[in-house]
Amino acid sequence: ELLKGTSAKNVLLKTALLQNEKMLGQNILYFAPVENLDLPAPKIDKSITPIAGGYSIRLTSDQLAKNVYLQIDEADGFFSDNFFDLLPGESVEFEFRCKTKIPDLENKLKILTIRDTY
């Protein structure tokens, strides 16, 4: 009933819980299993800024990027967030915490989505 004839492969529902305009939490509901979703090929833009103890990374996408996974080979560190959905027109900002500077991080950062697995 909610979809009113629209294909479940192309629809999602984003909910957010706010208190005094502060985001307390959010969730994305899909109406079809991941393997049945009609996922576009997203163009993900990245912005990387050095910070104390690592890097700040901001990602934006022109299309839904489902199950974004980040990887940096040959780097000892960790992401403050990894494995998330990125909606078009929205940005996600997180940190890569590491002890040493990583030369050419812009090119070493691999960004994969569930679409890249098939």
Side-chain angles (χ1 to χ4, degrees):
E1 273 184 51
L2 185 63
L3 298 179
K4 296 187 191 243
T6 302
S7 173
K9 299 186 317 184
N10 298 312
V11 177
L12 63 84
L13 174 66
K14 178 183 175 186
T15 59
L17 179 61
L18 304 171
Q19 182 178 37
N20 298 325
E21 298 185 26
K22 181 182 177 195
M23 174 80 67
L24 299 178
Q26 64 181 356
N27 198 9
I28 299 173
L29 171 71
Y30 295 91
F31 294 91
V34 172
E35 63 269 14
N36 293 341
L37 294 176
D38 186 14
L39 297 171
K43 179 183 179 292
I44 300 175
D45 293 318
K46 60 188 171 225
S47 170
I48 302 174
T49 306
I51 59 171
Y55 298 87
S56 175
I57 302 172
R58 177 185 296 252
L59 301 179
T60 57
S61 179
D62 65 338
Q63 302 281 332
L64 168 64
K66 177 89 175 103
N67 296 5
V68 174
Y69 175 75
L70 307 162
Q71 179 179 336
I72 302 173
D73 292 334
E74 302 173 21
D76 188 20
F78 64 93
F79 293 99
S80 62
D81 195 4
N82 205 347
F83 204 69
F84 51 85
D85 293 349
L86 181 57
L87 298 178
E90 295 186 1
S91 63
V92 173
E93 190 167 343
F94 52 90
E95 295 178 358
F96 180 70
R97 308 300 291 175
C98 57
K99 294 180 181 178
T100 60
K101 184 178 178 188
I102 302 171
D104 198 28
L105 179 59
E106 183 87 18
N107 291 318
K108 290 181 179 177
L109 176 64
K110 294 179 185 175
I111 305 170
L112 303 169
T113 69
I114 193 73
R115 191 174 192 280
D116 297 316
T117 65
Y118 56 87

